[in-house]
Each structure stands twice: as C-alpha cells, then as structure tokens.
C-alpha cells in the first residue's frame, strides 16, 4: 500500500543524495568547456567538472527552446569579447530571469536564471561536448510548469551539485 511507495520514494531520495554528495567532492578535476550560438557570434567558455548534472525543465520557455540546464557560478563563466553586442534579452513573468539569445540566429545558449541569481545556466545543447569531453552524470527532471511550487527543490547554490569551484547545479 501507501507505506511501501513511501519507502521506495525515500530510498530513491537517499540514493540521489548519496550520488549528489559523491559529486560534491572537491578533488573533482575542473576543465574548460566551450559553447555558443549557432552562427558563432556569441561564444563563451566555462569551467566545470567533466561530468555534470543536467536539469530538464518542462516550463514553457525551456520546452519551446530545448534548453537543458547546466548551472555554473558566474565566476566560472567567461563570455568572449565582442559577444555582448550580438545578444538580445527577453524578460517575462517576474522579469527576474534574464533570457538572452543571439539576435540573428536566435539561439539561447545561456541565460541568467531566476533560481540562481549568482549563477549562469548554460544550455547543454550549445556546448561543444566533443571538444572538452563534457559528460552528463545525471539528468534531473524539473516540473517548471509549476515553478513556484517546485523552485525550492532546485535552489541549492551552484556549487552544491557537482563540485566546489563555482560548480554545476540546476535551474
């Protein structure tokens, strides 16, 4: 009955916590990754472990754009010189998240998330994974269609999910 389902859920949560704790090790090697828009006018580098947590949000914007979140600290992100002039910003709802994209090719390769004001969300789909060997350690589904009710589940600091140095996390 209900008791059994609770145990399974609790067991899964404990397992997830163990996995996350393992990913928090400070001995994780940080490497440089590369990303950008389709036409190449917006490009960036970021430092993160080779293996990262990816959040798959089903909110209207993420669903429509195919955005897969890799959250890093702002200090681990470097927008290449000259890229800023090609970026347009889109705000909606609370106008807190800064959704930025390339004006011409239209690709949203990163943005400034509401859930992590000190972080950057890099779009996994815009990372040159072959160049740096970026791997996905875990994909965490997030119910973004009910963002307000679920935000607390992802509002850990950017360093909480995959290491220390301005690390990867979720939305």
């Amino acid at each position: 009955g209900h008791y059994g389902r609770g145990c399974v859920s609790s067991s899964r949560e404990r397992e997830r916590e163990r996995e996350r704790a393992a990913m928090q090790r400070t001995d994780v090697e940080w490497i440089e990754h590369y990303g950008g828009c389709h036409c190449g006018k917006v490009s960036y580098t970021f430092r993160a472990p080779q293996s990262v947590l990816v959040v798959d949000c089903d909110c209207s914007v993420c669903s429509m754009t195919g955005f897969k979140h890799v959250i890093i600290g702002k200090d681990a992100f470097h927008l290449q010189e000259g890229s800023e002039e090609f970026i347009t910003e889109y705000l909606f709802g609370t106008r807190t998240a800064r959704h930025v994209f390339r004006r011409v090719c239209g690709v949203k390769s990163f943005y400034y998330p509401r859930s992590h004001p000190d972080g950057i969300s890099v779009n996994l789909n815009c990372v040159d994974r072959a160049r740096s060997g970026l791997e996905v350690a875990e994909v965490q589904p997030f119910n973004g269609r009910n963002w307000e009710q679920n935000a607390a589940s992802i509002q850990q600091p950017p360093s909480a999910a995959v290491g220390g140095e301005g690390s990867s996390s979720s939305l």
Side-chain angles (χ1 to χ4, degrees), residues 31-38 42-54 66-72 77 107-111 120-136 168:
I31 59 176
E32 191 164 60
H33 302 283
Y34 309 87
C37 70
H38 187 262
V42 173
S43 62
Y44 53 82
T45 59
F46 66 97
R47 295 195 52 78
Q50 185 166 358
S51 187
V52 297
L53 170 68
V54 174
F67 204 98
K68 304 294 182 205
H69 302 265
V70 177
I71 298 290
I72 57 172
F77 181 83
V107 170
K108 178 181 168 185
S109 60
F110 73 97
Y111 85 108
I120 302 280
S121 182
V122 171
N123 188 348
L124 175 70
N125 292 325
C126 296
V127 175
D128 185 348
R129 294 170 68 183
R131 186 172 175 186
S132 68
L134 183 74
E135 298 170 354
V136 175
S168 304

mmCIF file of all heavy atoms in Angstrom, residues 31-38 42-54 66-72 77 107-111 120-136 168:
data_model
loop_
_atom_site.group_PDB
_atom_site.id
_atom_site.type_symbol
_atom_site.label_atom_id
_atom_site.label_comp_id
_atom_site.label_asym_id
_atom_site.label_seq_id
_atom_site.Cartn_x
_atom_site.Cartn_y
_atom_site.Cartn_z
ATOM 1 N N ILE A 31 37.650 21.413 -15.767
ATOM 2 C CA ILE A 31 38.214 21.640 -17.087
ATOM 3 C C ILE A 31 37.442 22.740 -17.801
ATOM 4 O O ILE A 31 36.337 23.101 -17.406
ATOM 5 C CB ILE A 31 38.223 20.343 -17.939
ATOM 6 C CG1 ILE A 31 36.801 19.793 -18.100
ATOM 7 C CG2 ILE A 31 39.137 19.303 -17.324
ATOM 8 C CD1 ILE A 31 36.723 18.585 -19.013
ATOM 9 N N GLU A 32 38.033 23.256 -18.846
ATOM 10 C CA GLU A 32 37.389 24.313 -19.610
ATOM 11 C C GLU A 32 36.498 23.706 -20.684
ATOM 12 O O GLU A 32 36.913 22.785 -21.389
ATOM 13 C CB GLU A 32 38.445 25.222 -20.245
ATOM 14 C CG GLU A 32 37.843 26.476 -20.833
ATOM 15 C CD GLU A 32 38.911 27.523 -21.097
ATOM 16 O OE1 GLU A 32 39.835 27.237 -21.887
ATOM 17 O OE2 GLU A 32 38.806 28.613 -20.527
ATOM 18 N N HIS A 33 35.279 24.227 -20.777
ATOM 19 C CA HIS A 33 34.313 23.804 -21.788
ATOM 20 C C HIS A 33 34.002 25.011 -22.672
ATOM 21 O O HIS A 33 34.206 26.152 -22.260
ATOM 22 C CB HIS A 33 33.030 23.297 -21.123
ATOM 23 C CG HIS A 33 33.256 22.156 -20.190
ATOM 24 N ND1 HIS A 33 33.473 20.870 -20.620
ATOM 25 C CD2 HIS A 33 33.311 22.114 -18.830
ATOM 26 C CE1 HIS A 33 33.645 20.086 -19.568
ATOM 27 N NE2 HIS A 33 33.546 20.810 -18.482
ATOM 28 N N TYR A 34 33.485 24.745 -23.856
ATOM 29 C CA TYR A 34 33.246 25.791 -24.844
ATOM 30 C C TYR A 34 31.810 25.706 -25.337
ATOM 31 O O TYR A 34 31.289 24.618 -25.557
ATOM 32 C CB TYR A 34 34.191 25.609 -26.037
ATOM 33 C CG TYR A 34 35.630 25.472 -25.607
ATOM 34 C CD1 TYR A 34 36.154 24.225 -25.262
ATOM 35 C CD2 TYR A 34 36.445 26.581 -25.499
ATOM 36 C CE1 TYR A 34 37.468 24.094 -24.832
ATOM 37 C CE2 TYR A 34 37.762 26.466 -25.073
ATOM 38 C CZ TYR A 34 38.267 25.215 -24.737
ATOM 39 O OH TYR A 34 39.558 25.096 -24.311
ATOM 40 N N GLY A 35 31.195 26.877 -25.540
ATOM 41 C CA GLY A 35 29.827 26.891 -26.037
ATOM 42 C C GLY A 35 29.535 28.174 -26.786
ATOM 43 O O GLY A 35 30.351 29.094 -26.831
ATOM 44 N N GLY A 36 28.337 28.227 -27.369
ATOM 45 C CA GLY A 36 27.935 29.428 -28.088
ATOM 46 C C GLY A 36 26.705 29.192 -28.932
ATOM 47 O O GLY A 36 26.068 28.135 -28.864
ATOM 48 N N CYS A 37 26.406 30.201 -29.717
ATOM 49 C CA CYS A 37 25.213 30.148 -30.570
ATOM 50 C C CYS A 37 25.506 29.434 -31.891
ATOM 51 O O CYS A 37 26.639 29.046 -32.168
ATOM 52 C CB CYS A 37 24.690 31.564 -30.826
ATOM 53 S SG CYS A 37 25.762 32.555 -31.892
ATOM 54 N N HIS A 38 24.502 29.305 -32.732
ATOM 55 C CA HIS A 38 24.623 28.584 -33.999
ATOM 56 C C HIS A 38 25.581 29.261 -34.973
ATOM 57 O O HIS A 38 26.408 28.610 -35.604
ATOM 58 C CB HIS A 38 23.240 28.422 -34.643
ATOM 59 C CG HIS A 38 23.243 27.557 -35.842
ATOM 60 N ND1 HIS A 38 23.279 28.060 -37.121
ATOM 61 C CD2 HIS A 38 23.235 26.210 -35.964
ATOM 62 C CE1 HIS A 38 23.279 27.071 -37.978
ATOM 63 N NE2 HIS A 38 23.255 25.924 -37.303
ATOM 64 N N VAL A 42 28.124 34.607 -30.715
ATOM 65 C CA VAL A 42 28.105 34.559 -29.255
ATOM 66 C C VAL A 42 28.858 33.295 -28.861
ATOM 67 O O VAL A 42 28.469 32.189 -29.256
ATOM 68 C CB VAL A 42 26.659 34.530 -28.696
ATOM 69 C CG1 VAL A 42 26.675 34.313 -27.185
ATOM 70 C CG2 VAL A 42 25.923 35.811 -29.051
ATOM 71 N N SER A 43 29.945 33.476 -28.126
ATOM 72 C CA SER A 43 30.702 32.308 -27.675
ATOM 73 C C SER A 43 31.197 32.548 -26.255
ATOM 74 O O SER A 43 31.334 33.689 -25.808
ATOM 75 C CB SER A 43 31.863 32.001 -28.614
ATOM 76 O OG SER A 43 32.777 33.078 -28.658
ATOM 77 N N TYR A 44 31.436 31.452 -25.558
ATOM 78 C CA TYR A 44 31.862 31.527 -24.170
ATOM 79 C C TYR A 44 32.649 30.292 -23.799
ATOM 80 O O TYR A 44 32.631 29.284 -24.505
ATOM 81 C CB TYR A 44 30.657 31.684 -23.229
ATOM 82 C CG TYR A 44 29.587 30.634 -23.412
ATOM 83 C CD1 TYR A 44 29.688 29.375 -22.820
ATOM 84 C CD2 TYR A 44 28.461 30.895 -24.188
ATOM 85 C CE1 TYR A 44 28.712 28.418 -23.001
ATOM 86 C CE2 TYR A 44 27.475 29.938 -24.365
ATOM 87 C CZ TYR A 44 27.606 28.707 -23.777
ATOM 88 O OH TYR A 44 26.639 27.749 -23.957
ATOM 89 N N THR A 45 33.350 30.413 -22.677
ATOM 90 C CA THR A 45 33.999 29.273 -22.052
ATOM 91 C C THR A 45 33.488 29.204 -20.619
ATOM 92 O O THR A 45 33.022 30.210 -20.069
ATOM 93 C CB THR A 45 35.538 29.404 -22.033
ATOM 94 O OG1 THR A 45 35.903 30.584 -21.317
ATOM 95 C CG2 THR A 45 36.100 29.447 -23.442
ATOM 96 N N PHE A 46 33.546 28.031 -20.039
ATOM 97 C CA PHE A 46 33.209 27.887 -18.626
ATOM 98 C C PHE A 46 33.987 26.730 -18.048
ATOM 99 O O PHE A 46 34.382 25.816 -18.752
ATOM 100 C CB PHE A 46 31.691 27.728 -18.417
ATOM 101 C CG PHE A 46 31.093 26.469 -18.977
ATOM 102 C CD1 PHE A 46 30.875 25.357 -18.168
ATOM 103 C CD2 PHE A 46 30.714 26.405 -20.315
ATOM 104 C CE1 PHE A 46 30.292 24.203 -18.687
ATOM 105 C CE2 PHE A 46 30.133 25.258 -20.831
ATOM 106 C CZ PHE A 46 29.923 24.151 -20.019
ATOM 107 N N ARG A 47 34.229 26.830 -16.742
ATOM 108 C CA ARG A 47 34.930 25.775 -16.024
ATOM 109 C C ARG A 47 33.923 24.975 -15.224
ATOM 110 O O ARG A 47 33.076 25.534 -14.534
ATOM 111 C CB ARG A 47 36.006 26.365 -15.124
ATOM 112 C CG ARG A 47 37.096 27.035 -15.956
ATOM 113 C CD ARG A 47 38.363 27.327 -15.208
ATOM 114 N NE ARG A 47 38.947 26.199 -14.495
ATOM 115 C CZ ARG A 47 39.662 25.208 -15.043
ATOM 116 N NH1 ARG A 47 39.855 25.193 -16.338
ATOM 117 N NH2 ARG A 47 40.174 24.246 -14.291
ATOM 118 N N ALA A 48 34.038 23.665 -15.353
ATOM 119 C CA ALA A 48 33.146 22.738 -14.651
ATOM 120 C C ALA A 48 33.801 21.367 -14.691
ATOM 121 O O ALA A 48 34.729 21.139 -15.472
ATOM 122 C CB ALA A 48 31.770 22.696 -15.324
ATOM 123 N N PRO A 49 33.319 20.461 -13.876
ATOM 124 C CA PRO A 49 33.827 19.091 -13.969
ATOM 125 C C PRO A 49 33.528 18.514 -15.353
ATOM 126 O O PRO A 49 32.684 19.037 -16.090
ATOM 127 C CB PRO A 49 33.029 18.347 -12.894
ATOM 128 C CG PRO A 49 32.541 19.392 -11.969
ATOM 129 C CD PRO A 49 32.323 20.602 -12.822
ATOM 130 N N GLN A 50 34.179 17.454 -15.696
ATOM 131 C CA GLN A 50 33.912 16.799 -16.970
ATOM 132 C C GLN A 50 32.515 16.197 -16.983
ATOM 133 O O GLN A 50 31.845 16.172 -18.002
ATOM 134 C CB GLN A 50 34.954 15.722 -17.258
ATOM 135 C CG GLN A 50 34.775 15.102 -18.634
ATOM 136 C CD GLN A 50 35.971 14.288 -19.052
ATOM 137 O OE1 GLN A 50 36.967 14.199 -18.350
ATOM 138 N NE2 GLN A 50 35.880 13.692 -20.217
ATOM 139 N N SER A 51 32.047 15.748 -15.829
ATOM 140 C CA SER A 51 30.735 15.113 -15.709
ATOM 141 C C SER A 51 29.820 16.018 -14.881
ATOM 142 O O SER A 51 30.153 16.361 -13.751
ATOM 143 C CB SER A 51 30.920 13.757 -15.029
ATOM 144 O OG SER A 51 29.722 13.042 -15.035
ATOM 145 N N VAL A 52 28.681 16.418 -15.449
ATOM 146 C CA VAL A 52 27.815 17.415 -14.815
ATOM 147 C C VAL A 52 26.372 16.940 -14.653
ATOM 148 O O VAL A 52 25.918 16.039 -15.349
ATOM 149 C CB VAL A 52 27.803 18.740 -15.619
ATOM 150 C CG1 VAL A 52 29.183 19.371 -15.654
ATOM 151 C CG2 VAL A 52 27.267 18.521 -17.031
ATOM 152 N N LEU A 53 25.678 17.591 -13.741
ATOM 153 C CA LEU A 53 24.246 17.405 -13.552
ATOM 154 C C LEU A 53 23.525 18.298 -14.555
ATOM 155 O O LEU A 53 23.868 19.463 -14.720
ATOM 156 C CB LEU A 53 23.851 17.816 -12.132
ATOM 157 C CG LEU A 53 22.350 17.902 -11.836
ATOM 158 C CD1 LEU A 53 21.717 16.515 -11.859
ATOM 159 C CD2 LEU A 53 22.122 18.559 -10.475
ATOM 160 N N VAL A 54 22.536 17.745 -15.234
ATOM 161 C CA VAL A 54 21.729 18.495 -16.200
ATOM 162 C C VAL A 54 20.290 18.495 -15.718
ATOM 163 O O VAL A 54 19.768 17.459 -15.309
ATOM 164 C CB VAL A 54 21.817 17.857 -17.606
ATOM 165 C CG1 VAL A 54 20.865 18.541 -18.580
ATOM 166 C CG2 VAL A 54 23.244 17.914 -18.115
ATOM 167 N N GLY A 66 14.168 23.962 -26.141
ATOM 168 C CA GLY A 66 15.010 22.775 -25.991
ATOM 169 C C GLY A 66 16.179 23.000 -25.050
ATOM 170 O O GLY A 66 17.215 22.349 -25.160
ATOM 171 N N PHE A 67 16.009 23.905 -24.095
ATOM 172 C CA PHE A 67 17.088 24.257 -23.168
ATOM 173 C C PHE A 67 17.295 23.154 -22.140
ATOM 174 O O PHE A 67 16.360 22.716 -21.490
ATOM 175 C CB PHE A 67 16.747 25.571 -22.450
ATOM 176 C CG PHE A 67 17.944 26.310 -21.943
ATOM 177 C CD1 PHE A 67 18.477 27.360 -22.669
ATOM 178 C CD2 PHE A 67 18.530 25.964 -20.746
ATOM 179 C CE1 PHE A 67 19.587 28.062 -22.194
ATOM 180 C CE2 PHE A 67 19.643 26.642 -20.260
ATOM 181 C CZ PHE A 67 20.169 27.699 -20.989
ATOM 182 N N LYS A 68 18.517 22.698 -21.996
ATOM 183 C CA LYS A 68 18.925 21.711 -20.984
ATOM 184 C C LYS A 68 19.948 22.403 -20.094
ATOM 185 O O LYS A 68 21.022 22.789 -20.548
ATOM 186 C CB LYS A 68 19.545 20.463 -21.626
ATOM 187 C CG LYS A 68 18.647 19.775 -22.636
ATOM 188 C CD LYS A 68 17.426 19.182 -21.992
ATOM 189 C CE LYS A 68 16.585 18.476 -23.042
ATOM 190 N NZ LYS A 68 15.207 18.391 -22.696
ATOM 191 N N HIS A 69 19.622 22.558 -18.814
ATOM 192 C CA HIS A 69 20.381 23.398 -17.888
ATOM 193 C C HIS A 69 21.613 22.737 -17.288
ATOM 194 O O HIS A 69 21.524 21.655 -16.727
ATOM 195 C CB HIS A 69 19.489 23.817 -16.723
ATOM 196 C CG HIS A 69 18.276 24.559 -17.146
ATOM 197 N ND1 HIS A 69 18.219 25.924 -17.181
ATOM 198 C CD2 HIS A 69 17.066 24.122 -17.574
ATOM 199 C CE1 HIS A 69 17.024 26.311 -17.600
ATOM 200 N NE2 HIS A 69 16.305 25.227 -17.846
ATOM 201 N N VAL A 70 22.726 23.448 -17.361
ATOM 202 C CA VAL A 70 23.929 23.157 -16.594
ATOM 203 C C VAL A 70 24.233 24.465 -15.877
ATOM 204 O O VAL A 70 24.640 25.441 -16.500
ATOM 205 C CB VAL A 70 25.123 22.750 -17.484
ATOM 206 C CG1 VAL A 70 26.375 22.535 -16.634
ATOM 207 C CG2 VAL A 70 24.804 21.507 -18.295
ATOM 208 N N ILE A 71 23.966 24.512 -14.567
ATOM 209 C CA ILE A 71 24.166 25.748 -13.809
ATOM 210 C C ILE A 71 25.601 25.812 -13.294
ATOM 211 O O ILE A 71 26.102 24.843 -12.724
ATOM 212 C CB ILE A 71 23.200 25.858 -12.619
ATOM 213 C CG1 ILE A 71 21.761 25.890 -13.103
ATOM 214 C CG2 ILE A 71 23.501 27.100 -11.785
ATOM 215 C CD1 ILE A 71 21.349 27.125 -13.823
ATOM 216 N N ILE A 72 26.215 26.945 -13.518
ATOM 217 C CA ILE A 72 27.575 27.191 -13.032
ATOM 218 C C ILE A 72 27.583 28.516 -12.291
ATOM 219 O O ILE A 72 26.682 29.339 -12.474
ATOM 220 C CB ILE A 72 28.584 27.211 -14.205
ATOM 221 C CG1 ILE A 72 28.187 28.271 -15.230
ATOM 222 C CG2 ILE A 72 28.694 25.832 -14.842
ATOM 223 C CD1 ILE A 72 29.200 28.502 -16.327
ATOM 224 N N PHE A 77 32.220 31.388 -15.553
ATOM 225 C CA PHE A 77 31.731 31.671 -16.913
ATOM 226 C C PHE A 77 32.475 32.856 -17.500
ATOM 227 O O PHE A 77 32.682 33.867 -16.833
ATOM 228 C CB PHE A 77 30.234 31.987 -16.845
ATOM 229 C CG PHE A 77 29.583 32.269 -18.172
ATOM 230 C CD1 PHE A 77 29.153 31.232 -18.978
ATOM 231 C CD2 PHE A 77 29.385 33.571 -18.606
ATOM 232 C CE1 PHE A 77 28.538 31.484 -20.195
ATOM 233 C CE2 PHE A 77 28.765 33.832 -19.823
ATOM 234 C CZ PHE A 77 28.345 32.785 -20.612
ATOM 235 N N VAL A 107 19.563 31.650 -31.250
ATOM 236 C CA VAL A 107 19.872 30.588 -30.291
ATOM 237 C C VAL A 107 20.107 31.152 -28.889
ATOM 238 O O VAL A 107 20.828 32.127 -28.697
ATOM 239 C CB VAL A 107 21.094 29.764 -30.756
ATOM 240 C CG1 VAL A 107 21.582 28.815 -29.669
ATOM 241 C CG2 VAL A 107 20.730 28.989 -32.012
ATOM 242 N N LYS A 108 19.496 30.494 -27.917
ATOM 243 C CA LYS A 108 19.663 30.819 -26.497
ATOM 244 C C LYS A 108 20.664 29.813 -25.926
ATOM 245 O O LYS A 108 20.310 28.715 -25.544
ATOM 246 C CB LYS A 108 18.312 30.720 -25.785
ATOM 247 C CG LYS A 108 18.366 30.992 -24.296
ATOM 248 C CD LYS A 108 16.963 30.834 -23.704
ATOM 249 C CE LYS A 108 16.995 30.809 -22.212
ATOM 250 N NZ LYS A 108 15.675 30.542 -21.646
ATOM 251 N N SER A 109 21.935 30.212 -25.902
ATOM 252 C CA SER A 109 22.988 29.285 -25.488
ATOM 253 C C SER A 109 23.300 29.361 -23.989
ATOM 254 O O SER A 109 23.947 28.470 -23.450
ATOM 255 C CB SER A 109 24.259 29.528 -26.302
ATOM 256 O OG SER A 109 24.732 30.846 -26.111
ATOM 257 N N PHE A 110 22.838 30.420 -23.322
ATOM 258 C CA PHE A 110 22.982 30.562 -21.875
ATOM 259 C C PHE A 110 21.984 31.614 -21.417
ATOM 260 O O PHE A 110 21.389 32.322 -22.238
ATOM 261 C CB PHE A 110 24.415 30.974 -21.471
ATOM 262 C CG PHE A 110 24.748 32.404 -21.778
ATOM 263 C CD1 PHE A 110 24.641 33.386 -20.787
ATOM 264 C CD2 PHE A 110 25.164 32.791 -23.041
ATOM 265 C CE1 PHE A 110 24.936 34.712 -21.056
ATOM 266 C CE2 PHE A 110 25.463 34.113 -23.322
ATOM 267 C CZ PHE A 110 25.347 35.067 -22.321
ATOM 268 N N TYR A 111 21.779 31.713 -20.106
ATOM 269 C CA TYR A 111 20.956 32.791 -19.552
ATOM 270 C C TYR A 111 21.224 32.949 -18.069
ATOM 271 O O TYR A 111 21.964 32.183 -17.469
ATOM 272 C CB TYR A 111 19.473 32.583 -19.867
ATOM 273 C CG TYR A 111 18.704 31.692 -18.914
ATOM 274 C CD1 TYR A 111 17.774 32.218 -18.024
ATOM 275 C CD2 TYR A 111 18.891 30.320 -18.903
ATOM 276 C CE1 TYR A 111 17.056 31.400 -17.161
ATOM 277 C CE2 TYR A 111 18.180 29.494 -18.056
ATOM 278 C CZ TYR A 111 17.266 30.043 -17.180
ATOM 279 O OH TYR A 111 16.560 29.238 -16.325
ATOM 280 N N ILE A 120 24.897 31.144 -13.774
ATOM 281 C CA ILE A 120 24.606 31.192 -15.202
ATOM 282 C C ILE A 120 24.092 29.809 -15.557
ATOM 283 O O ILE A 120 24.647 28.807 -15.107
ATOM 284 C CB ILE A 120 25.888 31.457 -16.036
ATOM 285 C CG1 ILE A 120 26.575 32.750 -15.636
ATOM 286 C CG2 ILE A 120 25.599 31.384 -17.533
ATOM 287 C CD1 ILE A 120 25.982 33.998 -16.214
ATOM 288 N N SER A 121 23.062 29.741 -16.377
ATOM 289 C CA SER A 121 22.597 28.454 -16.881
ATOM 290 C C SER A 121 23.077 28.319 -18.319
ATOM 291 O O SER A 121 22.694 29.103 -19.185
ATOM 292 C CB SER A 121 21.076 28.346 -16.822
ATOM 293 O OG SER A 121 20.686 27.064 -17.281
ATOM 294 N N VAL A 122 23.935 27.354 -18.546
ATOM 295 C CA VAL A 122 24.466 27.071 -19.880
ATOM 296 C C VAL A 122 23.588 25.995 -20.499
ATOM 297 O O VAL A 122 23.206 25.036 -19.832
ATOM 298 C CB VAL A 122 25.932 26.587 -19.765
ATOM 299 C CG1 VAL A 122 26.451 26.085 -21.094
ATOM 300 C CG2 VAL A 122 26.816 27.698 -19.215
ATOM 301 N N ASN A 123 23.265 26.162 -21.775
ATOM 302 C CA ASN A 123 22.453 25.177 -22.486
ATOM 303 C C ASN A 123 23.348 24.032 -22.944
ATOM 304 O O ASN A 123 24.216 24.227 -23.798
ATOM 305 C CB ASN A 123 21.755 25.829 -23.678
ATOM 306 C CG ASN A 123 20.754 24.913 -24.354
ATOM 307 O OD1 ASN A 123 20.706 23.715 -24.098
ATOM 308 N ND2 ASN A 123 19.949 25.485 -25.227
ATOM 309 N N LEU A 124 23.135 22.839 -22.375
ATOM 310 C CA LEU A 124 23.923 21.670 -22.749
ATOM 311 C C LEU A 124 23.943 21.478 -24.266
ATOM 312 O O LEU A 124 24.962 21.094 -24.832
ATOM 313 C CB LEU A 124 23.345 20.414 -22.077
ATOM 314 C CG LEU A 124 23.997 19.097 -22.467
ATOM 315 C CD1 LEU A 124 25.410 19.003 -21.883
ATOM 316 C CD2 LEU A 124 23.158 17.922 -22.014
ATOM 317 N N ASN A 125 22.842 21.786 -24.927
ATOM 318 C CA ASN A 125 22.748 21.597 -26.378
ATOM 319 C C ASN A 125 23.634 22.565 -27.165
ATOM 320 O O ASN A 125 23.801 22.392 -28.371
ATOM 321 C CB ASN A 125 21.296 21.737 -26.841
ATOM 322 C CG ASN A 125 20.446 20.599 -26.332
ATOM 323 O OD1 ASN A 125 20.900 19.469 -26.218
ATOM 324 N ND2 ASN A 125 19.197 20.898 -26.005
ATOM 325 N N CYS A 126 24.193 23.565 -26.493
ATOM 326 C CA CYS A 126 25.050 24.555 -27.151
ATOM 327 C C CYS A 126 26.508 24.430 -26.730
ATOM 328 O O CYS A 126 27.327 25.294 -27.043
ATOM 329 C CB CYS A 126 24.535 25.958 -26.849
ATOM 330 S SG CYS A 126 22.903 26.274 -27.529
ATOM 331 N N VAL A 127 26.845 23.373 -26.028
ATOM 332 C CA VAL A 127 28.216 23.132 -25.591
ATOM 333 C C VAL A 127 28.892 22.209 -26.600
ATOM 334 O O VAL A 127 28.304 21.216 -27.051
ATOM 335 C CB VAL A 127 28.235 22.495 -24.175
ATOM 336 C CG1 VAL A 127 29.654 22.125 -23.767
ATOM 337 C CG2 VAL A 127 27.612 23.448 -23.165
ATOM 338 N N ASP A 128 30.132 22.534 -26.955
ATOM 339 C CA ASP A 128 30.921 21.690 -27.847
ATOM 340 C C ASP A 128 31.470 20.535 -27.015
ATOM 341 O O ASP A 128 32.600 20.563 -26.535
ATOM 342 C CB ASP A 128 32.051 22.515 -28.464
ATOM 343 C CG ASP A 128 32.855 21.741 -29.492
ATOM 344 O OD1 ASP A 128 32.704 20.492 -29.587
ATOM 345 O OD2 ASP A 128 33.651 22.374 -30.210
ATOM 346 N N ARG A 129 30.635 19.527 -26.825
ATOM 347 C CA ARG A 129 30.973 18.408 -25.955
ATOM 348 C C ARG A 129 32.136 17.577 -26.495
ATOM 349 O O ARG A 129 32.925 17.028 -25.728
ATOM 350 C CB ARG A 129 29.748 17.534 -25.726
ATOM 351 C CG ARG A 129 28.672 18.286 -24.926
ATOM 352 C CD ARG A 129 27.367 17.565 -24.879
ATOM 353 N NE ARG A 129 27.466 16.336 -24.097
ATOM 354 C CZ ARG A 129 26.463 15.494 -23.956
ATOM 355 N NH1 ARG A 129 25.295 15.729 -24.510
ATOM 356 N NH2 ARG A 129 26.612 14.405 -23.240
ATOM 357 N N ALA A 130 32.282 17.498 -27.798
ATOM 358 C CA ALA A 130 33.379 16.729 -28.386
ATOM 359 C C ALA A 130 34.724 17.390 -28.071
ATOM 360 O O ALA A 130 35.726 16.704 -27.853
ATOM 361 C CB ALA A 130 33.190 16.611 -29.891
ATOM 362 N N ARG A 131 34.738 18.699 -28.009
ATOM 363 C CA ARG A 131 35.982 19.443 -27.776
ATOM 364 C C ARG A 131 36.521 19.239 -26.361
ATOM 365 O O ARG A 131 37.723 19.086 -26.170
ATOM 366 C CB ARG A 131 35.746 20.923 -28.055
ATOM 367 C CG ARG A 131 36.974 21.778 -27.989
ATOM 368 C CD ARG A 131 36.666 23.179 -28.474
ATOM 369 N NE ARG A 131 37.811 24.042 -28.295
ATOM 370 C CZ ARG A 131 37.784 25.337 -28.515
ATOM 371 N NH1 ARG A 131 36.680 25.911 -28.935
ATOM 372 N NH2 ARG A 131 38.856 26.065 -28.320
ATOM 373 N N SER A 132 35.645 19.244 -25.354
ATOM 374 C CA SER A 132 36.119 19.137 -23.970
ATOM 375 C C SER A 132 35.796 17.799 -23.317
ATOM 376 O O SER A 132 36.261 17.526 -22.220
ATOM 377 C CB SER A 132 35.513 20.255 -23.124
ATOM 378 O OG SER A 132 34.118 20.071 -22.980
ATOM 379 N N GLY A 133 34.970 16.995 -23.966
ATOM 380 C CA GLY A 133 34.594 15.709 -23.380
ATOM 381 C C GLY A 133 33.537 15.808 -22.302
ATOM 382 O O GLY A 133 33.408 14.911 -21.477
ATOM 383 N N LEU A 134 32.761 16.899 -22.285
ATOM 384 C CA LEU A 134 31.713 17.071 -21.278
ATOM 385 C C LEU A 134 30.760 15.886 -21.308
ATOM 386 O O LEU A 134 30.302 15.466 -22.365
ATOM 387 C CB LEU A 134 30.928 18.363 -21.530
ATOM 388 C CG LEU A 134 29.849 18.689 -20.503
ATOM 389 C CD1 LEU A 134 30.490 19.172 -19.204
ATOM 390 C CD2 LEU A 134 28.898 19.738 -21.032
ATOM 391 N N GLU A 135 30.485 15.347 -20.125
ATOM 392 C CA GLU A 135 29.592 14.198 -19.980
ATOM 393 C C GLU A 135 28.461 14.556 -19.037
ATOM 394 O O GLU A 135 28.600 15.416 -18.181
ATOM 395 C CB GLU A 135 30.361 13.005 -19.401
ATOM 396 C CG GLU A 135 31.495 12.530 -20.272
ATOM 397 C CD GLU A 135 32.373 11.507 -19.565
ATOM 398 O OE1 GLU A 135 32.166 11.245 -18.358
ATOM 399 O OE2 GLU A 135 33.276 10.971 -20.224
ATOM 400 N N VAL A 136 27.349 13.853 -19.186
ATOM 401 C CA VAL A 136 26.194 14.042 -18.319
ATOM 402 C C VAL A 136 26.219 12.969 -17.247
ATOM 403 O O VAL A 136 26.140 11.780 -17.545
ATOM 404 C CB VAL A 136 24.876 13.974 -19.132
ATOM 405 C CG1 VAL A 136 23.672 14.060 -18.209
ATOM 406 C CG2 VAL A 136 24.843 15.082 -20.178
ATOM 407 N N SER A 168 28.493 23.229 -11.068
ATOM 408 C CA SER A 168 27.271 22.967 -11.802
ATOM 409 C C SER A 168 26.153 22.583 -10.857
ATOM 410 O O SER A 168 26.388 21.992 -9.842
ATOM 411 C CB SER A 168 27.483 21.790 -12.743
ATOM 412 O OG SER A 168 28.549 22.032 -13.593
#
